[in-house]
Amino acid sequence: GYRVSLQGNFFGRNHTYIIFAEYNPRKHIKLDPPLNIQSNITASKCQIWWSVPWYLVEILQYELQYKEYSMSWEIALNKTPPSSLPQIEIEATELRSGIAYIARVRCKVSENEDSYHSQWSEWSQTTVFQRPGVPKLSEKILNTRTMQFLFIPLSFGTLLYLFWNCKLSSRWQKASPALTFPRQLLSFSHSIICTMGILR
């Protein structure tokens, strides 16, 4: 144990103030933040893990904080690992597809530990991860609208082309008697053949 006091000169006189009559350092620990935080994401979950000194693993508890990369830490979500192991999993259903996320972690001595007591450490360095997925809805809408804008003029152009083609074709048929000639010729030939058959 330790005896902590504050000494100073006030108005020309020395004074001693007792801050802690009995100070036990093990009850007032502030740990270093976890190190080397990393992440790996799959279609079903995101695994996040970090490092702490091996002799502290069994007596620590952790708090993970994660958020969308562009958001503020004030609206981040917190998760507590179910065990003292320096790792945690986030279900993919908790993450939006195609959005980048950032996470950090801090630690302190577990509340179940009698020998030591601490406050939360500072936050660790961060890790960034992103759930793969389909394009965002806005991109789909944009693609659909683009197709609509392209389809309308193309359809109009096709109809105009067919109408113009039919109009020219009908004018050409009126202007050229050759188109009706084969039918007359066939009818005349058929009459001759029938007459010859009767004569025989």
Side-chain angles (χ1 to χ4, degrees), residues 181-192:
F181 177 73
R183 290 183 180 178
Q184 295 172 357
L185 181 62
L186 286 173
S187 178
F188 179 70
S189 300
H190 180 70
S191 299
I192 293 175

Side-chain angles (χ1 to χ4, degrees), residues 140-155:
K140 288 183 176 181
I141 293 173
L142 181 62
N143 291 338
T144 304
R145 287 181 178 172
T146 304
M147 291 300 294
Q148 288 174 348
F149 287 135
L150 288 175
F151 179 76
I152 292 171
L154 285 174
S155 301

Side-chain angles (χ1 to χ4, degrees), residues 14-157:
N14 292 328
H15 293 272
T16 299
Y17 298 91
I18 304 299
I19 306 301
F20 295 105
E22 291 185 7
Y23 179 76
N24 192 341
R26 72 166 69 192
K27 300 293 186 180
H28 303 276
I29 297 171
K30 183 171 183 178
L31 298 165
D32 291 329
L35 302 171
N36 196 29
I37 183 170
Q38 299 180 60
S39 58
N40 180 51
I41 191 164
T42 64
S44 60
K45 61 187 174 182
C46 176
Q47 295 177 312
I48 302 175
W49 64 95
W50 52 89
S51 301
V52 293
W54 63 269
Y55 49 84
L56 295 176
V57 170
E58 294 185 357
I59 66 169
L60 296 184
Q61 68 181 66
Y62 307 97
E63 183 179 36
L64 180 87
Q65 203 172 57
Y66 71 98
K67 67 179 183 70
E68 292 184 17
Y69 193 87
S70 59
M71 298 298 183
S72 169
W73 283 111
E74 279 72 19
I75 58 172
L77 300 174
N78 292 354
K79 288 186 80 71
T80 302
S83 69
S84 61
L85 295 177
Q87 64 185 38
I88 196 171
E89 291 183 353
I90 302 175
E91 294 298 324
T93 53
E94 299 179 45
L95 307 172
R96 295 169 59 194
S97 298
I99 300 295
Y101 286 82
I102 186 170
R104 61 186 183 179
V105 67
R106 62 181 180 175
C107 64
K108 73 172 184 175
V109 174
S110 172
E111 300 292 346
N112 299 325
E113 179 63 36
D114 296 328
S115 301
Y116 300 93
H117 183 74
S118 77
Q119 58 181 299
W120 285 109
S121 70
E122 298 297 329
W123 290 105
S124 70
Q125 298 295 315
T126 57
T127 183
V128 178
F129 52 93
Q130 180 174 331
R131 177 187 172 191
V134 296
K136 291 185 289 187
L137 183 60
S138 59
E139 294 178 3
K140 288 183 176 181
I141 293 173
L142 181 62
N143 291 338
T144 304
R145 287 181 178 172
T146 304
M147 291 300 294
Q148 288 174 348
F149 287 135
L150 288 175
F151 179 76
I152 292 171
L154 285 174
S155 301
F156 180 75

Side-chain angles (χ1 to χ4, degrees), residues 163-176 179:
F163 174 76
W164 185 258
N165 224 8
C166 291
K167 193 172 182 181
L168 284 177
S169 178
S170 63
R171 285 182 181 177
W172 187 55
Q173 285 180 2
K174 289 179 181 178
S176 177
L179 290 174

